[in-house]
Structure formats: C-alpha cells, structure tokens
Amino acid sequence: MFHNLEELLDAARSAGPVEVAIAAAQDGDVIEAIKKAEEMGLARGIFVGDPQKIGALAEETGLSIPDTRLIAESDEAMAARKAIALVRDGRADLLMKGKIKTAALIRAVLDKDHGLRGGRLLSQVVVFQLPEFNRLMLMSDAAINIAPNFEQKADICRNAIQVANVLGIEIPNLALLCALEFVNPDMPATVDAAALTLMNRRGQLNGAYVEGPIALDVPLSKFAANRKAIDSPLVENTDIFIAPNIEAANILYRAIVYLAKARSGGIVFGAKVPLILLSRAESVETKIYSIAIGLLTARA
C-alpha cells in the first residue's frame, strides 16, 4: 500500500514509461507535464492537434517533439478520434485531454464503433494526500456523472474500489456520504446509500466494507462519531469517499485541494484504458500524478 503520492510515483516510474495519446495537444500545461514525465521516465507523449500551436508551445517549454510523435489535426473532434485510434491500435496506453472540452472527448470515447467503451460506467476517481494523513484516500465522482441513479452509484463504487486495489488497498473502507446518518425518504441519497450498504452486506457489492448513509464528520472524527453514538470501522479509517452527486463531489474536491491543501491526481475509469481528463485549472504536478495513477491502473 502506498502511503503518499511520492511512493506511488516511484512505483509508476519503475513500471514505465507509458505511451500517452493527447487529444488536441495544443495546451501549454499538458506539454509541460509531458516534458517532465519524459524526463522522469514516466511517459512519452504522442501529440495530436494543431501542429503550429503545438510546435510553438513545445519550443516555449523546451520540449523537442519528433515528427513521428506529432499528428497534425486542427479539428477538435477529429483530433479526439485520431488520439483514440492510437489507443485502439495499440500505439498508446493512455488517453489524455488537451485543449478540448471534456464532454466532446467523452462523446468520442463512448462512440460505439470507434471509441473506447469498456462495458461499464465511466466515472472519475481522484486519489489525494492530505498533509496530516500518512496514507492515500480516494473520492468519486466530481467530473462525469451529474446525478447518478442507484445502479450508476453502484458502478461508481466498483470503479473506485478497483482503483483502490491497484494502490494496494485490498479491502477499502468506503463511505457513502450524505447529510446525515439516517434514512429519510425526502432525501433520496440516504435511501440509495442504505440500499448500497445492504448490497455490500449480501455480497452484491464486493471488495470493500461499505457504509452509508453517513455524514462527512463521522469518517474523519472520533469525537463526532462518539457524540453521535456511531461505532464504525470507517471512523478515522476511511479509504474511499463517494459523494451523492456531481455538485457535492466537486465542492468536496475543491475544498480538499484549496482549503485542506491536498495534493492529488485522478483518472476516469471504466473505458478500455484509463483516461486523464483534467480541468484546465489543475496544476502540472496534478497532471504528473494523474499519469502515474493511469499508468499503474493500465498495467494492472
């Protein structure tokens, strides 16, 4: 089990390098991240996009891109299709988002004839490290599924559990976050959480200890758990946090990064290969960690 992102990165470098196809690669931060990844022996990029813009940005960054690793395509949709084709043909191991909207790239990934459908729901899995914790934790889904239904939440859990396994967490503790610990018919998230917990107890949602509905303070604080008279393996020992919808997950993720000063990386799981679909606001460091997570997941 990895205790921090540096250990994860070292393991990825030992297993690498990996080939990364970048859709609409005319993005300065992405090019800088690939440059650093190449220097670390972590990844090599195949750049699909506007050749003039890519060339100019690469020159600014100090990255030399051989002609064999530059595929000229100025149209955004076609750049996505050509990057996906590299993965389908076995020339690339991961797909990374450049200067293209996430929705556009997801549509191309889900194309029945030319995409990378993997037979299960796509969901984002974030791996993060907080300053005061000597272990990694995961959360989902802050980017793909807007208002997941019950079955989609089950798949979101399964995807997160599988990524946790890759990180060496054999039986992760998974918290189904809600506003309180009781089932309230007026709060559908609590009903879903209780049903998912029952599925776990009956062996229908395997590979983790699942509990919910549960508010965020209980998994993080013995004091809160004691005051609420809750005795749970999750208390101060949660590995995976599953939010009820994209708004809650996105707010939680931003709070973790900007208020709690966490470092993080993330992938979209569920396609034939891991997808690195990061916000333009994410740092180069986050992109490097995301490539590392994607590499380890792909190798697994």
Side-chain angles (χ1 to χ4, degrees), residues 148-150 153 178 183-196 213 244:
N149 60 30
F150 174 75
K153 287 179 181 179
C178 295
V183 175
N184 183 338
D186 293 328
M187 302 173 72
T190 65
V191 178
D192 287 348
L196 289 166

Side-chain angles (χ1 to χ4, degrees), residues 40-57:
M40 298 167 66
L42 180 67
R44 294 185 294 257
I46 304 175
F47 301 81
V48 185
D50 187 307
Q52 292 183 336
K53 292 180 180 179
I54 293 171
L57 291 167

Side-chain angles (χ1 to χ4, degrees), residues 12-84:
R13 291 172 67 183
S14 298
V18 72
E19 298 286 343
V20 182
I22 307 153
Q26 57 272 12
D27 183 297
D29 288 338
V30 169
I31 290 174
E32 184 180 351
I34 293 295
K35 177 178 182 290
K36 291 186 176 181
E38 288 188 359
E39 292 170 349
M40 298 167 66
L42 180 67
R44 294 185 294 257
I46 304 175
F47 301 81
V48 185
D50 187 307
Q52 292 183 336
K53 292 180 180 179
I54 293 171
L57 291 167
E59 186 176 355
E60 289 178 12
T61 308
L63 175 64
S64 176
I65 302 177
D67 291 342
T68 55
R69 291 187 168 271
L70 178 58
I71 299 175
E73 182 51 73
S74 298
D75 180 82
E76 181 181 284
M78 284 304 300
R81 291 188 65 173
K82 288 183 178 181
I84 288 168

Side-chain angles (χ1 to χ4, degrees), residues 20 71 77 92 96 193 212 230 232 234 251 277:
V20 182
I71 299 175
M96 188 171 187
I230 295 174
S232 167
L234 266 62
I251 292 168
L277 310 182

Side-chain angles (χ1 to χ4, degrees), residues 56-119:
L57 291 167
E59 186 176 355
E60 289 178 12
T61 308
L63 175 64
S64 176
I65 302 177
D67 291 342
T68 55
R69 291 187 168 271
L70 178 58
I71 299 175
E73 182 51 73
S74 298
D75 180 82
E76 181 181 284
M78 284 304 300
R81 291 188 65 173
K82 288 183 178 181
I84 288 168
L86 292 170
V87 177
R88 289 174 59 89
D89 295 343
R91 294 177 57 192
D93 306 291
L94 302 177
L95 178 68
M96 188 171 187
K97 170 189 165 185
K99 205 170 186 64
I100 180 173
K101 293 180 179 178
T102 297
L105 189 52
I106 289 293
R107 278 196 300 271
V109 167
L110 293 178
D111 184 276
K112 291 182 180 179
D113 298 320
H114 305 289
L116 295 170
R117 283 176 176 262

